[in-house]
Amino acid sequence: MLWATAGVITLGFLVALQIVAHHLGIPGPITQQAREVIHAPKSGFLLYASMALTMVVLTWRQRLISLGAALGIDLVFLTVRWAIGAGLPEDGHPFGNGALWVVLGLAAIALTRRTGPDRVLLLKGVGLGLLLVTGRKTGDTWLLITSQTLPVTLDPYIAMADHALGNPSWLAGRLLEAGGPVAEHTLDAVYAQLAVAAVVVALYQLRDVAAERRFPRHHLVRTFLVIGLVGPAVYMVYPVVGPMFAYGPDGGTWAAADLWPNTLPPISTPYHLPFDEITPRNCMPSLHTAWATAIFLHTRRGPRGLRVAGTFWLVATLAATLGFGWHYGVDLVAGVVFAYTIEAGLRTFDRGWDRAGLLLVGYGTTVFVALLAAYRFAPLEMARYPWLAGPLLLLVMASVVYAYQRLIKLWQGVTVPAPRTEPQPEPA
């Protein structure tokens, strides 16, 4: 019942977003995904990652057959494109169509060749895989909508609030330049393939699905998708383009000034900054930070190698978001609070709306809203008193993290041991 409800809601949301995109004259998520059945995909890695998620419900023999079929189809597509002289778009990949064809083929097999629990399990696997790629297309459409419907941004407000943290994006940008091309290429790869990293963690969590014939109650894909669904809604009420655009060379004539990353923005009264209809308003909160935080949380109970990888991906993602000038420091603080709140909400839902979980969700939501309000209505005060505002920002973020850890311990039945007392002598 839950899967069916989620499917209906997702389909309704996609149709609504497709209609909005059509009225704005931009490609919607359904259109974009349908094109990749034939045209070169935007991310072949993501399509193969989605196929890997689907294959968690298959036996090893079926997985090998599916992988072979995907590679064979991709080889055919590559040969045909080469034969007719069809080049790739600037952001296209030469592979990935085969993976999408296999996922769609498994959906057809489930509907025509399977029955009962086997059909349901295979359809769940297909749905999980398609949700990953559809979530990516949905995000792309959201970004186009923000750029065309929000003519001004709040970057000057965020830049002022960021003084409370010492404007870390400016420092990180200079450090990344000093690190040279190796550091830049490494961080760029980490940032771009965040969804693939999430799939690796999810595959570990879902490794027993085929044997147990059921999905675990909670796994990373759920958190990843909810973050991607809820986050863009905040973009619509809090448009921010980031320091590289608002204060750097990529903003062109729309930039408030060409300051990033060498000159800090002066403390001055913030204002609404008009901006172009191309650059996405996708900074507040930092969803890459939220997703990397979710990966970190879901690797804590894995083997040592997975825990190390989760920590690396979080640190590298934070470095990339700041170093490339895509986010302000305060975006990251909001992203961490956002991720912990979403994760707590999903776990609380699984437990039947546990009271302690509901309190944490309410607290995390309150802190998140308070952060956004402070960035908007008190940025000058934060810039003028960084010795107070900076520690307060970090303290409220840490309080959400601490409350989440306490909640997990409570759910696991971990209690604080009672203080030891000296034995009393027996009465005479």
Side-chain angles (χ1 to χ4, degrees), residues 293 296-297 314 332-333 335-341 344 360 363-364 367 393-409:
T293 300
F296 174 80
L297 287 174
L314 175 60
L332 275 60
V333 172
V336 170
V337 172
F338 185 72
Y340 273 91
T341 303
L360 176 55
Y363 177 65
V367 169
L393 285 179
L394 298 178
L395 181 62
V396 295
M397 179 186 71
S399 69
V400 175
V401 175
Y402 176 76
Y404 176 84
Q405 298 299 334
R406 293 287 297 177
L407 179 66
I408 294 300
K409 288 184 178 180

Side-chain angles (χ1 to χ4, degrees), residues 65 218 392:
I65 294 173
H218 184 59
L392 277 178

Side-chain angles (χ1 to χ4, degrees), residues 200-407:
V200 172
V201 177
L203 289 177
Y204 173 78
Q205 294 179 323
L206 303 175
R207 64 193 183 279
D208 296 326
V209 169
E212 298 179 355
R213 313 300 293 169
R214 63 179 180 84
F215 280 83
R217 176 171 293 184
H218 184 59
H219 51 81
L220 177 58
V221 179
R222 297 175 68 207
T223 307
F224 219 76
L225 291 172
V226 173
I227 288 174
L229 179 66
V230 178
V234 185
Y235 294 163
M236 299 300 294
V237 297
Y238 219 106
V240 181
V241 295
M244 172 175 274
F245 299 99
Y247 294 95
D250 285 26
T253 58
W254 294 94
D258 189 1
L259 303 176
W260 186 88
N262 298 312
T263 305
L264 293 179
I267 298 177
S268 59
T269 303
Y271 59 96
H272 287 64
L273 176 66
F275 221 79
D276 61 31
E277 296 182 356
I278 300 174
T279 308
R281 281 63 160 156
N282 63 337
C283 286
M284 181 60 70
S286 169
L287 293 195
H288 265 76
T289 296
W291 282 320
T293 300
I295 290 174
F296 174 80
L297 287 174
H298 280 260
T299 56
R300 294 310 87 195
R301 299 183 66 181
R304 179 180 178 83
L306 201 63
R307 296 197 305 271
V308 171
T311 302
F312 165 78
W313 221 270
L314 175 60
V315 173
T317 299
L318 298 181
T321 56
L322 294 175
F324 287 117
W326 292 325
H327 286 282
Y328 303 90
V330 290
D331 301 346
L332 275 60
V333 172
V336 170
V337 172
F338 185 72
Y340 273 91
T341 303
I342 293 293
E343 179 70 13
L346 289 173
R347 289 184 178 273
T348 301
F349 172 78
D350 292 336
R351 294 180 61 87
W353 302 115
D354 177 272
R355 181 176 181 274
L358 283 173
L359 289 174
L360 176 55
V361 173
Y363 177 65
T365 303
T366 301
V367 169
F368 181 72
V369 173
L371 288 174
L372 299 187
Y375 300 161
R376 173 63 178 83
F377 299 108
L380 270 180
E381 290 74 10
M382 296 174 69
R384 290 169 177 164
Y385 305 101
W387 53 270
L388 175 63
L392 277 178
L393 285 179
L394 298 178
L395 181 62
V396 295
M397 179 186 71
S399 69
V400 175
V401 175
Y402 176 76
Y404 176 84
Q405 298 299 334
R406 293 287 297 177
L407 179 66

